[in-house]
Amino acid sequence: MSRAQLSSLRGDCVAVLGIALLSTTVAVLALTTARGVVRQDAISYTTEFISGWWWLAFLLAPLPATLVRRRISTATVAAVALVLPQFVAASVCVARYRASGWSDGLEVLSYLHPVLLTLATGAACGLAAVARRRT
């Protein structure tokens, strides 16, 4: 392997690890700032097992698309690195609901967040790939 190839590979690894770190940070932030079960008054409660910070992950969706110009395989790995921590966060959220006794079956809708993030990231990467071919 030449020095240029080794340097490019190193840069790709750093980019993928950076995206994974950012995504994991968003997931941990959302899980740690969730309030859990909070009593509002004598008969009503609110439940929050993952906070609204979770939506910040959508701001990271364009990051793998920026790597399409370098290599499509790197962008694919970066997309997985972005989405995987969000699926783990959804699993933790579902587990929290079930462990607390507030489970009603609808908590599995938590998985819509990472599924939509996957679609948004894929769309961003697809648009970047199309733009790459046209230039």
Side-chain angles (χ1 to χ4, degrees):
M1 215 183 245
S2 71
R3 281 187 172 217
Q5 289 174 329
L6 191 59
S7 177
S8 177
L9 182 62
R10 188 175 296 133
D12 290 350
C13 289
V14 167
V16 168
L17 288 175
I19 289 170
L21 180 67
L22 287 171
S23 182
T24 301
T25 301
V26 168
V28 169
L29 176 69
L31 288 169
T32 57
T33 58
R35 294 180 293 157
V37 178
V38 178
R39 186 177 199 150
Q40 287 188 322
D41 54 36
I43 59 171
S44 62
Y45 294 85
T46 61
T47 57
E48 179 185 69
F49 294 110
I50 194 159
S51 72
W53 289 103
W54 201 22
W55 293 101
L56 284 177
F58 280 89
L59 296 176
L60 303 175
L63 294 179
T66 61
L67 299 174
V68 167
R69 229 166 234 268
R70 294 175 76 146
R71 277 191 211 116
I72 295 204
S73 60
T74 302
T76 303
V77 173
V80 170
L82 171 66
V83 173
L84 190 62
Q86 305 309 315
F87 274 102
V88 172
S91 297
V92 171
C93 180
V94 169
R96 286 178 173 182
Y97 267 103
R98 291 185 178 162
S100 71
W102 288 89
S103 172
D104 61 359
L106 293 177
E107 68 274 0
V108 296
L109 292 176
S110 297
Y111 288 106
L112 282 177
H113 180 277
V115 167
L116 291 174
L117 181 63
T118 302
L119 294 174
T121 305
C125 288
L127 289 173
V130 168
R132 175 184 174 202
R133 286 189 183 147
R134 289 190 179 188
T135 57

